[in-house]
Amino acid sequence: MSDNDWKKRLGVVYSTDPDFKYTTAAIEEEPTREPSKQRLVVTIDRRQRAGKQVTLVKGFVGTAADLAALGKTLKVKCGVGGTAKDGEITVQGDLRDKVTAILQSLGYNAKRGN
């Protein structure tokens, strides 16, 4: 099924070669830094969210799997929902102080923004 992902092939011109295989460039992820070398900023955001507040954790450098694991840890310890993608963790609600304290207890260099 992954060979037939048409969304990744938008804009590709038709080929008459029967042996043609479309390949995408592999995106290399930077290895995850150790927690003490990460510089995370915990901020609040209200834009484009219908007035709802979310807590954003920006500045994570590492693989998507490690980002998802850290996001899950924060969501479980705060007892709320959220997401982790594009190097950013989103936690529902204004939990800046609690998220900053959790990150610091895990050994991350986290500071509270705005």
Side-chain angles (χ1 to χ4, degrees):
M1 186 69 178
S2 65
D3 294 337
N4 197 18
D5 189 11
W6 61 273
K7 289 182 182 178
K8 292 181 181 175
R9 292 183 282 133
L10 288 177
V12 176
V13 179
Y14 179 76
S15 174
T16 57
D17 183 10
D19 298 325
F20 178 76
K21 293 284 185 184
Y22 182 76
T23 58
T24 58
I27 300 171
E28 292 186 25
E29 294 180 330
E30 188 173 334
T32 304
R33 294 182 188 168
E34 61 184 67
S36 62
K37 295 192 179 187
Q38 297 269 3
R39 176 127 173 108
L40 303 178
V41 179
V42 182
T43 61
I44 189 168
D45 188 25
R46 293 179 193 92
R47 284 182 250 132
Q48 298 176 351
R49 301 185 201 287
K52 309 261 191 222
Q53 299 175 344
V54 295
T55 303
L56 298 177
V57 179
K58 298 179 183 177
F60 184 83
V61 178
T63 63
D66 291 336
L67 178 71
L70 179 61
K72 181 170 180 157
T73 302
L74 290 175
K75 292 186 295 182
V76 167
K77 289 193 176 194
C78 293
V80 295
T83 183
K85 60 183 175 183
D86 300 329
E88 184 176 274
I89 300 171
T90 305
V91 178
Q92 294 175 350
D94 184 6
L95 301 168
R96 290 174 286 182
D97 296 327
K98 188 172 186 178
V99 169
T100 304
I102 292 168
L103 288 171
Q104 288 174 347
S105 70
L106 292 174
Y108 286 92
N109 183 10
K111 75 173 203 170
R112 185 177 186 260
N114 65 350

